[in-house]
Amino acid sequence: VSALVSPAETGYLVYDLHSDRLHQLNPAASLVVELCDGERSLDDLHEILQPLVGDEGWTACRTWIDAAIDDGLIAADKDADPPVNAKQLTARANELWEDDDVLAAFVCQERAASLEPEDPAVWYTLGELAQVVGRRSDARHAYERYLDKRPDDAEIAHLLIALRGDPAPARASDECIEQLYARFASFYDETMTGDLEYRAPELLRCALADALRGRTDLDVLDLGCGTGLAGQQLRSLARRLIGVDLSPTMIDQARARRIYDALDVDELAAYLRRGHTRFDVIAACDTLIYFGDLAQVIEPAAQRLRAHAAIAFTTERGDVDPFVLTDSGRFSHHPNHIRAVAAAAGLVVARLDDEVLRFEYGRPVRGLVAVLQMPSA
Ligand SMILES: C[S@@+](CC[C@H](N)C(=O)[O-])C[C@H]1O[C@@H](n2cnc3c(N)ncnc32)[C@H](O)[C@@H]1O
């Protein structure tokens, strides 16, 4: 075989580096490819296949083999394999990924990993690609190989909890969040507002403006403020706007925006429990995706609200009640969980809207936009 072969559920995926074509082979074609191991002649193939498929079947096989040789899938000469190394294959995988040809990219990267199994970077990329194409067990295997060599990687350790189906932590660890956003901060705004069509901040502001009947003199706390994308929207409602985030790198970006009156690097649940200042609005846009049970945040936040105040947040919507850690490493929450947590904290659910928050790999990310309010006397 002169191309890259990857086993798939019903046969093989074959990517031909020369023609840049990906073939999805059915089980019969896969068997032929498997028999073309460089050691067997056409006569050998005839001897094996003819008793299985009969004369007519063999004629069809011959036609397919000739076409496969023409297509570059099978080489007539067993020494025809082009010399390709892991670096070249990774480069090709990245090009294909750029062009959204993710399945072919996965096949290239899988071969790169088999050629260079001691290099953690090839496993990391293979894990990412396996996730993009929805090959969960391949992603798990690749990330496990990577983590063997990079045991301090808190992000991948967190992802593996989900991919292995291990019991979820109460929230993503501080190390995981800090690592993830130190890496992401410099291109966060561009990625979110560009390719991912991030709409959560605007949705949150609209829901809040509606619930608070247009007030614009509010003391607002922005939890997990990040670079300030949500803060930018909240600013129009605020007399005073405070941002808190665990990631110093994200806070640096927020500071450069010059829209906050104060910014703190802190873990948000600890921040809520520690302080006494009260707010008119406590917002958390795309932040509670890193928490399992939302009571961890909503209960201490409810203690920091003034009369008529509101907590407003977005979460990713899940079908599992109460919540689940998904393969993305983020939690999704069921609307019933939000209702239950609000009731336990003595809050009224003013809004709980189904919305598309952004896109991921071209697919919509379904979310909930929630506004919980202090009950009026
Ligand atoms: C997806 S970003 C959202 C940022 C911003 N709210 C926005 O809408 O663009 C999530 C932010 O939450 C922060 N974060 C996650 N868990 C946190 C925690 N436990 N304490 C403080 N910040 C946290 C991250 O550092 C990150 O900046």
Side-chain angles (χ1 to χ4, degrees):
V1 175
S2 67
L4 310 179
V5 182
S6 171
E9 247 169 54
T10 56
Y12 281 105
L13 290 173
V14 180
Y15 176 67
D16 181 9
L17 285 159
H18 298 300
S19 65
D20 186 22
R21 281 174 61 196
L22 182 71
H23 306 259
Q24 312 215 16
L25 303 189
N26 64 24
S30 298
L31 174 64
V32 174
V33 166
E34 214 165 275
L35 291 170
C36 294
D37 60 355
E39 302 301 326
R40 292 186 177 88
S41 66
L42 259 181
D43 287 345
D44 296 336
L45 291 184
H46 178 251
E47 206 170 299
I48 298 168
L49 291 171
Q50 195 276 340
L52 295 175
V53 296
D55 283 339
E56 219 170 288
W58 170 245
T59 308
C61 279
R62 267 306 318 245
T63 311
W64 188 85
I65 289 169
D66 287 342
I69 291 173
D70 285 348
D71 275 352
L73 277 184
I74 298 172
D77 168 4
K78 87 181 177 100
D79 297 322
D81 272 9
V84 206
N85 61 35
K87 212 168 151 197
Q88 291 165 319
L89 286 165
T90 296
R92 176 67 74 90
N94 283 325
E95 281 165 24
L96 290 163
W97 194 355
E98 280 277 300
D99 293 342
D100 273 341
D101 210 344
V102 283
L103 209 48
F106 169 80
V107 176
C108 281
Q109 193 61 23
E110 193 176 48
R111 175 65 69 92
S114 75
L115 291 175
E116 207 65 68
E118 295 310 312
D119 179 0
V122 291
W123 291 111
Y124 184 93
T125 306
L126 183 61
E128 285 185 296
L129 277 164
Q131 278 209 301
V132 178
V133 299
R135 290 182 162 220
R136 192 168 192 256
S137 62
D138 289 321
R140 173 181 159 169
H141 173 71
Y143 283 141
E144 278 173 342
R145 295 294 301 261
Y146 167 80
L147 202 66
D148 281 346
K149 293 170 200 331
R150 292 276 185 274
D152 295 335
D153 192 317
E155 257 183 279
I156 297 302
H158 178 71
L159 268 187
L160 272 172
I161 295 174
L163 291 169
R164 288 178 178 142
D166 288 347
R171 62 176 173 86
S173 69
D174 293 1
E175 296 74 27
C176 168
I177 297 294
E178 281 164 14
Q179 183 190 319
L180 167 59
Y181 285 98
R183 185 169 57 74
F184 196 7
S186 65
F187 55 98
Y188 177 87
D189 285 6
E190 198 187 325
T191 308
M192 295 297 270
T193 57
D195 288 353
L196 306 191
E197 298 181 42
Y198 183 47
R199 313 167 54 220
E202 197 184 340
L203 293 168
L204 199 67
R205 179 188 47 81
C206 291
L208 255 175
D210 189 48
L212 297 172
R213 300 198 177 82
R215 280 181 62 191
T216 55
D217 56 347
L218 305 163
D219 285 348
V220 178
L221 174 63
D222 183 4
L223 297 175
C225 62
T227 62
L229 284 184
Q232 226 173 12
Q233 294 284 331
L234 296 168
R235 183 70 253 184
S236 61
L237 311 174
R239 171 177 58 188
R240 191 168 157 76
L241 178 62
I242 313 285
V244 179
D245 201 287
L246 197 49
S247 164
T249 336
M250 293 292 269
I251 287 274
D252 284 346
Q253 306 268 345
R255 189 166 292 115
R257 256 204 171 88
R258 298 175 174 275
I259 53 168
Y260 290 93
D261 296 291
L263 285 162
D264 266 311
V265 176
D266 208 342
E267 197 288 308
L268 66 89
Y271 176 95
L272 288 170
R273 283 194 300 270
R274 200 180 315 114
H276 301 285
T277 320
R278 290 182 180 264
F279 296 92
D280 299 304
V281 170
I282 297 183
C285 191
D286 212 25
T287 299
L288 303 189
I289 52 176
Y290 296 111
F291 287 77
D293 187 342
L294 296 181
Q296 297 175 85
V297 179
I298 303 303
E299 280 183 10
Q303 304 303 314
R304 306 285 301 272
L305 292 180
R306 295 195 177 123
H308 310 296
I311 301 176
F313 57 93
T314 63
T315 61
E316 290 184 18
R317 188 199 160 103
D319 297 326
V320 178
D321 190 5
F323 52 83
V324 72
L325 178 63
T326 70
D327 288 352
S328 65
R330 306 185 299 266
F331 288 88
S332 68
H333 297 90
H334 194 279
N336 287 347
H337 175 62
I338 294 175
R339 290 189 193 98
V341 168
L347 299 170
V348 173
V349 179
R351 298 281 293 256
L352 190 54
D353 304 336
D354 267 293
E355 295 283 0
V356 171
L357 302 179
R358 61 182 178 85
F359 288 81
E360 183 167 65
Y361 308 136
R363 292 186 287 272
V365 174
R366 295 162 61 214
L368 293 166
V369 180
V371 180
L372 314 181
Q373 273 184 300
M374 294 291 275
S376 32

